[in-house]
Amino acid sequence: MSHELDPKVGRWYRRLDDEQLFKVISIDEDEGLVEIKTFDGDVEELDSTEWVELDLEAAETPEDYVDPDEKSDDDEDEEKADEEDDRPSRGRGARDDWDEDDDDDLDDDDDDDNDDEDYDSDR
């Protein structure tokens, strides 16, 4: 039996012969192919002739359906938090406001170089 339902990506359909629910996940108009994903997660490819011959009706997204390939907003928030946790720690006392005026404090370190020479001469 043919129908007048055109495939639309993201829309759910029900096969009337076996009550199988599926969602259209892609359409290749050049090749005349419709890729579908069943409620169980199986992916199939139908050509346009097969599509027209299906006995279909439009269906609502099943309430208990969770697509493992789709990310929810909560998943994206968790990923961002994980990425922030993976950043290297700057450690205690790290400074974000470093400026060149603070280089004057480094001049005191020049005396440390002489300490090495004293150490060598004590041997």
Side-chain angles (χ1 to χ4, degrees):
M1 176 179 199
S2 64
H3 58 80
E4 293 184 25
L5 290 175
D6 291 330
K8 294 194 190 258
V9 174
R11 182 171 285 174
W12 282 86
Y13 299 89
R14 176 180 285 108
R15 289 182 179 172
L16 297 177
D17 57 344
D18 63 5
E19 296 295 312
Q20 183 182 38
L21 286 171
F22 66 89
K23 174 173 74 169
V24 174
I25 56 175
S26 72
I27 301 170
D28 184 340
E29 293 179 11
D30 294 335
E31 298 290 325
L33 299 174
V34 178
E35 192 172 26
I36 64 170
K37 186 175 204 176
T38 65
F39 180 82
D40 298 331
D42 296 330
V43 176
E44 297 177 36
E45 203 170 70
L46 307 170
D47 66 32
S48 57
T49 304
E50 291 173 306
W51 176 266
V52 172
E53 292 300 317
L54 292 174
D55 192 11
L56 298 175
E57 69 179 3
E60 296 293 322
T61 302
E63 289 180 25
D64 53 346
Y65 180 74
V66 176
D67 190 344
D69 296 332
E70 291 181 2
K71 294 182 181 179
S72 69
D73 291 338
D74 293 339
D75 292 340
E76 290 176 12
D77 291 344
E78 287 176 19
E79 281 183 10
K80 286 179 185 175
D82 288 344
E83 288 173 8
E84 289 174 4
D85 290 344
D86 291 342
R87 290 185 191 153
S89 173
R90 293 182 53 112
R92 188 174 189 168
R95 295 179 47 181
D96 290 328
D97 59 333
W98 187 271
D99 66 31
E100 294 179 23
D101 293 338
D102 291 336
D103 287 344
D104 296 339
D105 295 339
L106 297 177
D107 292 340
D108 296 337
D109 292 339
D110 291 342
D111 295 336
D112 292 340
D113 293 339
N114 294 335
D115 291 341
D116 290 338
E117 292 173 13
D118 292 340
Y119 176 77
D120 290 338
S121 64
D122 290 344
R123 288 187 186 184

